[in-house]
Amino acid sequence: MSALPYVQDGVPMLDFALVANFFFSNGMSPDKRQRVSTCMERYIDLCGDNLRHCSCIVGDRKGRWSRYRPSCKTSIPKKLKEHLHSTVYFNLIGGEKLEAATPYSVYGYADGTGPGNFFQFRLPWDWFASHPGTFPDVFREFTRILQPDYGFGGLGFTYAETNYRRKMERLIYLIAQAVPALLVEGGYFEAEYFTNGIREGNFMTALSYQWVDKLGGADQIQSALGPEFTVLRTESGITIQAGDEPNPLGASIYKKAPPLPSDAEMAILRENLPTLPHLDAAAAYPLYHRLNQVLKPIRVTPEMYTRKLQSGQYLKRNFFDKESTQKWFSRFD
């Protein structure tokens, strides 16, 4: 049994990563596309040396991966600007192999017709031990630039996106049950569901003023949360930081996470995943409990959010289906 990163045949398949997801409207506007471009450029400034592959697709054209080049910093913004009435999405990732899990990635999806606009970045979970700044600093910077309707960030996962995705979903489900402070997110597939509500709050949360006003304003939110939270105003809304660490368990997460199965054991998991003791998330993470009590009035209902966090293809149980997805969103209640 090995701790994360989970490696198969010498290739990392699953690891922790700092993850930030942002959802925004007006994906066809020149202003918003410029903001998306600026965020991508800022990420390249931070860790472009670690990027290895890129893809940028316009409309319904077929796309393919190519080797990352510094010229992406100008070519992708050009496509975003020139194709205002088309969907444009890009993905820049690290990892020498496409099949590998990488903590370096920046993803953007600017929709030409609907509400599904999305921006995400990932960083290694220990990135700031050897780089200036903090994850809250970077999250707030990207919030200020992008002006999203909603965003959340914290310690989550990075995993192999291609042939091994289903296998990694089973492991993510297991680990998340043991460490419910972790983020489990569905990327841009979730974007269309956050026009009438938000997901749960986590270590970092960004809310536009449309949500802030529904909760009584920034001062009311700060008063309800208390001094352990940092609530800062931006031009378009607020950011909320819950405590000092993106995972309240700190380094002990490696002790709390269940042991990862060997290849032989993974074959058995398809039919019979082990049952893990469920942690009382509200009691274990009192700050996240308080935050989600405050945000509950604007959270999506099951009628609003009808998808499941994981596909669960070929799985009979033990994955984030619709029912367990809704339970996950309310785990801190």
Side-chain angles (χ1 to χ4, degrees), residues 33-308:
R33 294 213 172 185
Q34 178 58 53
R35 293 179 183 278
V36 171
S37 297
T38 302
C39 286
M40 184 205 69
E41 293 163 5
R42 177 65 181 123
Y43 186 87
I44 291 175
D45 290 339
L46 280 174
C47 49
D49 290 345
N50 298 285
L51 298 175
R52 297 294 180 267
H53 307 278
C54 69
S55 174
C56 184
I57 301 175
V58 176
D60 57 0
R61 301 176 189 173
K62 293 183 179 180
R64 61 183 180 84
W65 288 99
S66 59
R67 293 296 294 176
Y68 167 78
R69 294 178 175 83
S71 59
C72 290
K73 193 174 182 179
T74 56
S75 63
I76 294 176
K78 183 178 179 181
K79 289 182 180 180
L80 283 163
K81 181 179 179 180
E82 291 180 347
H83 300 277
L84 287 178
H85 298 289
S86 297
T87 298
V88 179
Y89 50 105
F90 60 85
N91 199 356
L92 312 178
I93 65 173
E96 293 302 326
K97 296 183 178 181
L98 278 172
E99 296 81 7
T102 172
Y104 298 102
S105 69
V106 58
Y107 183 97
Y109 189 102
D111 199 325
T113 58
N117 300 279
F118 176 72
F119 184 88
Q120 178 194 76
F121 71 84
R122 283 189 174 98
L123 290 169
W125 72 276
D126 58 351
W127 170 263
F128 294 100
S130 56
H131 295 83
T134 65
F135 179 64
D137 292 336
V138 177
F139 183 93
R140 284 189 281 259
E141 178 185 4
F142 278 70
T143 300
R144 177 185 57 79
I145 296 170
L146 187 59
Q147 296 187 351
D149 300 321
Y150 165 54
F152 60 87
L155 187 61
F157 297 95
T158 179
Y159 54 93
E161 291 279 0
T162 53
N163 297 334
Y164 300 94
R165 178 167 183 160
R166 302 293 179 262
K167 185 175 181 179
M168 295 308 105
E169 284 186 344
R170 292 194 282 269
L171 295 180
I172 288 172
Y173 181 88
L174 282 173
I175 296 171
Q177 301 310 306
V179 191
L182 294 170
L183 288 178
V184 178
E185 41 81 27
Y188 81 94
F189 293 107
E190 296 188 272
E192 65 180 282
Y193 298 96
F194 298 136
T195 57
N196 297 313
I198 70 167
R199 272 187 51 163
E200 83 282 4
N202 205 276
F203 176 57
M204 298 298 299
T205 307
L207 301 175
S208 68
Y209 281 119
Q210 66 167 316
W211 302 121
V212 174
D213 293 343
K214 289 181 182 294
L215 296 175
D219 291 340
Q220 175 63 32
I221 293 172
Q222 177 70 82
S223 176
L225 290 174
E228 299 93 340
F229 292 81
T230 302
V231 178
L232 296 179
R233 289 174 173 84
T234 69
E235 182 181 347
S236 61
I238 65 171
T239 59
I240 304 171
Q241 178 181 339
D244 299 321
E245 298 291 336
N247 171 50
L249 293 177
S252 66
I253 189 171
Y254 287 96
K255 300 176 183 177
K256 297 290 184 180
L260 294 173
S262 66
D263 291 341
E265 289 167 325
M266 277 301 303
I268 300 173
L269 285 179
R270 178 177 299 225
E271 296 297 332
N272 186 28
L273 282 169
T275 300
L276 292 172
H278 283 230
L279 185 67
D280 184 339
Y285 308 104
L287 292 186
Y288 290 7
H289 169 63
R290 194 184 316 166
L291 172 63
N292 284 279
Q293 288 296 303
V294 172
L295 298 182
K296 192 173 183 179
I298 59 172
R299 193 166 68 208
V300 289
T301 64
E303 294 74 26
M304 297 176 189
Y305 190 103
T306 57
R307 77 181 305 272
K308 48 193 177 183

